[in-house]
Amino acid sequence: YFADKRQFYEGDLKIVRDGQQRWLSVPMAPEALWPQVRAFWIERGFTIASEDPKTGVMETDWAENRAKLPQDGIRALLGRVLDSLYDTGERDRYRTRIERTAGGSEVYISHRGLREEFTTPQKEQTVWVTRPSDPQLEAEFLSRLMVRLGAPEEVSRTALATPAARAPRARLLTGADAAAIEIDDDFDRAWRRVGLALDRTGFTVEDRNRADGVYFVRYVDPKAAKEARSFFGRLFGSGDEAGSAVRYRLSVRQASPDKSVLAVQTATGAADKSEPAQQMVQVLLAELR
């Protein structure tokens, strides 16, 4: 099918990998899978911040990255009591997207992170800034979800192997009517990659139509959303920032047997080459390369 694609089987439940991208293939309809995925995140101490069964998207609230706590003997002895004395200075949230397939569902998990940084040499004040998405954390939670759904742990752990580096597979498309990206994949793979890129970069996907190759999204101009805002305030789409979001359509179409094009359109479907549209493709290109 393609050279670096690998599948890790446990019956019909498998993790599929294409480069840095992984997803879980489940022989279960989204309606039956949804409550199990929801329970999975709650069992791991996360709060569900938003969920929309219609679009198949569920997002956790921000939580401290406890994996970064020191693992010394004292902490092991005192356990949770000592945990309360530490703060890792990192926060994580996860978005789960469930897509219907002919045989059941595909599950995608994307990570977004924040890091606390001092703003003065005296270290008297801090702000929260974004840090890169971590594909290994995404793979870890896919593996754990696979176990939650019935796979033996030794089978699921195989999926955590780090994929080999690969050449860039996307680039800006010049000379087009709209802000656009050329992707070195057929439509099916391009559609998956664009969906994960949207999840990782924090776009709000209001709806999608795979048959027409369209994602309906909301996007906030970075000039209206500075990173140094309050962590629990407006940094990622609440408060006033939600009101400044503009609706767009992202069109994915196959241009040749091994290439597809992602183009930005206005909410009415017209080609869009505006400055915000150019910013959008730059953000997505960083994830699609």
Side-chain angles (χ1 to χ4, degrees), residues 43 50 63 69 115 121 133 165 211 213 270:
E43 289 166 1
S50 63
L69 289 173
R115 179 178 61 252
S133 298

Side-chain angles (χ1 to χ4, degrees), residues 17-90:
R17 189 176 77 196
D18 175 21
Q20 288 281 0
Q21 186 174 358
R22 298 173 175 89
W23 63 92
L24 182 62
S25 178
V26 184
M28 186 183 301
E31 295 81 5
L33 183 59
W34 185 269
Q36 297 204 43
V37 173
R38 192 179 196 280
F40 166 79
W41 288 114
I42 292 174
E43 289 166 1
R44 276 144 191 82
F46 289 90
T47 300
I48 304 300
S50 63
E51 52 184 318
D52 185 353
K54 176 187 173 184
T55 60
V57 175
M58 180 186 307
E59 191 163 33
T60 72
D61 207 345
W62 293 98
E64 185 175 6
N65 185 352
R66 307 300 286 178
K68 294 297 184 70
L69 289 173
Q71 300 294 321
D72 54 28
I74 295 178
R75 178 175 178 268
L77 179 65
L78 298 181
R80 294 182 180 178
V81 175
L82 194 59
D83 277 359
S84 64
L85 301 178
Y86 290 94
D87 190 301
T88 64
E90 292 187 353

Side-chain angles (χ1 to χ4, degrees), residues 259-276:
K259 291 188 186 296
S260 298
V261 172
L262 165 65
V264 181
Q265 300 175 345
T266 66
T268 59
D272 192 340
K273 210 170 184 177
S274 64
E275 182 179 351

Side-chain angles (χ1 to χ4, degrees), residues 77-249:
L77 179 65
L78 298 181
R80 294 182 180 178
V81 175
L82 194 59
D83 277 359
S84 64
L85 301 178
Y86 290 94
D87 190 301
T88 64
E90 292 187 353
R91 300 291 185 269
D92 297 314
R93 81 185 311 174
Y94 295 90
R95 180 178 293 179
T96 307
R97 180 165 46 87
I98 302 175
E99 292 207 9
R100 188 184 305 276
T101 65
S105 304
E106 290 177 347
V107 182
Y108 301 82
I109 293 177
S110 59
H111 163 259
R112 296 172 67 199
L114 292 175
R115 179 178 61 252
E116 190 175 22
E117 293 186 353
F118 290 103
T119 58
T120 63
Q122 294 76 23
K123 298 184 177 181
E124 297 172 343
Q125 187 175 359
T126 63
V127 294
W128 291 91
V129 299
T130 56
R131 72 182 205 274
S133 298
D134 189 333
Q136 285 302 107
L137 282 176
E138 296 167 353
E140 174 67 35
F141 278 101
L142 277 176
S143 172
R144 294 182 187 182
L145 178 58
M146 189 177 182
V147 172
R148 172 66 166 73
L149 294 174
E153 185 169 354
E154 59 270 21
V155 174
S156 70
R157 301 301 294 181
T158 311
L160 298 184
T162 302
R166 62 193 308 170
R169 297 167 59 200
R171 64 204 59 83
L172 291 178
L173 186 62
T174 59
D177 293 337
I181 298 172
E182 183 181 61
I183 303 170
D184 295 338
D185 279 315
D186 62 20
F187 173 81
D188 287 339
R189 281 179 268 172
W191 178 263
R192 289 191 182 101
R193 291 178 61 200
V194 170
L196 186 58
L198 290 170
D199 292 341
R200 284 176 172 170
T201 50
F203 282 77
T204 299
V205 179
E206 295 186 325
D207 203 355
R208 60 180 179 270
N209 185 330
R210 182 169 180 149
D212 293 338
V214 176
Y215 286 96
F216 300 87
V217 305
R218 283 192 289 117
Y219 174 73
V220 178
D221 188 332
K223 294 178 181 178
K226 295 180 180 178
E227 285 186 329
R229 293 182 182 180
S230 167
F231 166 53
F232 290 107
R234 291 157 43 191
L235 183 57
F236 285 116
S238 60
D240 293 342
E241 197 171 291
S244 65
V246 179
R247 287 178 171 82
Y248 294 89
R249 293 163 49 122

